[in-house]
Amino acid sequence: MTTPKRQNAGPAGAALHQVAALPFRKGEEGPQVCLVTTRETRRWTIPKGWPMKGRSDSDAARIEAIEEGGLVGKVTKRPIGSFLYWKRRPTELDLIRVEVYRLDVDEQLATWKEAGERYSMWFPLDTAADLVDEPGLKAIFESLMAEPPLPGDARLLYHGDPASIKETAMAKGQMRSNKETRKPKAEKPKAAAGAPKPFASTTAAAKDKK
């Protein structure tokens, strides 16, 4: 087998750059990701494409998710990982490095731009890891299985140490300290001066009368 040529690979054979969205939601039986098929080979992957002029990479990834899967949600500002793959050209192959941004999906549209060109389906993380071909993408799914992200903005920090995650989540109001969640003890009412002591129980009061 001949070694694939890298067309327009940049200086010193560097890989080309793409962006992707990892559509994520919490299903009834655990976290799920949405995979889409490629248009030509029908392989399962995640929505991805080229950077867009005038837009950040994270925003470009969000748009790719809408166009390829009708997936609408909030995207992370920083990538959660990357993977490599070979993109087939008419005569050659390009090596592509894909920066992956997590997308917390709020809604999947009834129709979208490429609905007639691709299939999309939600899978548990372990099933999705088995379906995709790229080892780097499998590794991202497996990292989410091993260390599930926290809700809200703290999802950006799930690769950090547990202490920093907890401190950040508390600062953003996503967690409460033990002192905040502990209910205050109810104070016992003080008896008035000279008032008779109450009976411990009705049974004790009955015995005193005999």
Side-chain angles (χ1 to χ4, degrees):
M1 186 176 70
T2 58
T3 303
K5 295 181 180 179
R6 303 178 186 182
Q7 182 182 12
N8 300 324
L16 297 175
H17 172 59
Q18 281 189 333
V19 298
L22 193 158
F24 184 93
R25 74 179 183 185
K26 292 184 178 180
E28 294 181 358
E29 299 182 0
Q32 296 179 327
V33 293
C34 186
L35 300 182
V36 300
T37 57
T38 60
R39 282 184 287 197
E40 295 180 1
T41 61
R42 297 296 184 183
R43 293 181 299 104
W44 288 109
T45 186
I46 56 177
K48 62 182 183 295
W50 302 105
M52 299 179 185
K53 186 176 181 179
R55 294 186 179 274
S56 65
D57 283 353
S58 61
D59 197 37
R62 179 188 62 82
I63 294 172
E64 291 293 344
I66 296 174
E67 293 182 351
E68 296 188 8
L71 301 159
V72 181
K74 184 179 180 181
V75 69
T76 56
K77 294 182 179 179
R78 293 177 291 175
I80 62 172
S82 65
F83 66 93
L84 293 170
Y85 82 102
W86 289 101
K87 184 174 181 63
R88 187 177 300 279
R89 297 293 191 182
T91 58
E92 300 184 11
L93 294 176
D94 287 337
L95 179 63
I96 312 291
R97 176 177 295 279
V98 185
E99 298 289 338
V100 180
Y101 296 81
R102 177 179 155 186
L103 178 78
D104 286 333
V105 177
D106 299 321
E107 177 187 7
Q108 186 166 19
L109 304 176
T111 184
W112 55 92
K113 183 177 180 180
E114 299 180 13
E117 303 174 41
R118 305 174 187 271
Y119 296 108
S120 68
M121 188 174 294
W122 287 93
F123 297 99
L125 285 168
D126 56 348
T127 304
D130 290 337
L131 290 174
V132 298
D133 292 337
E134 298 83 359
L137 186 53
K138 290 178 183 286
I140 292 175
F141 290 149
E142 290 168 355
S143 71
L144 289 172
M145 291 163 54
E147 193 176 1
L150 293 173
D153 291 338
R155 64 180 174 276
L156 297 174
L157 304 174
Y158 74 91
H159 285 303
D161 64 279
S164 65
I165 293 174
K166 182 177 179 181
E167 290 173 2
T168 303
M170 288 177 61
K172 294 179 178 294
Q174 295 164 343
M175 296 174 61
R176 293 184 178 181
S177 67
N178 291 336
K179 292 182 179 180
E180 292 174 322
T181 55
R182 190 180 297 131
K183 293 182 179 180
K185 294 182 179 179
E187 296 183 1
K188 295 181 180 179
K190 296 181 180 180
K197 294 183 179 180
F199 292 112
S201 66
T202 54
T203 304
K207 287 182 179 180
D208 290 343
K209 290 181 178 179
K210 290 182 180 180

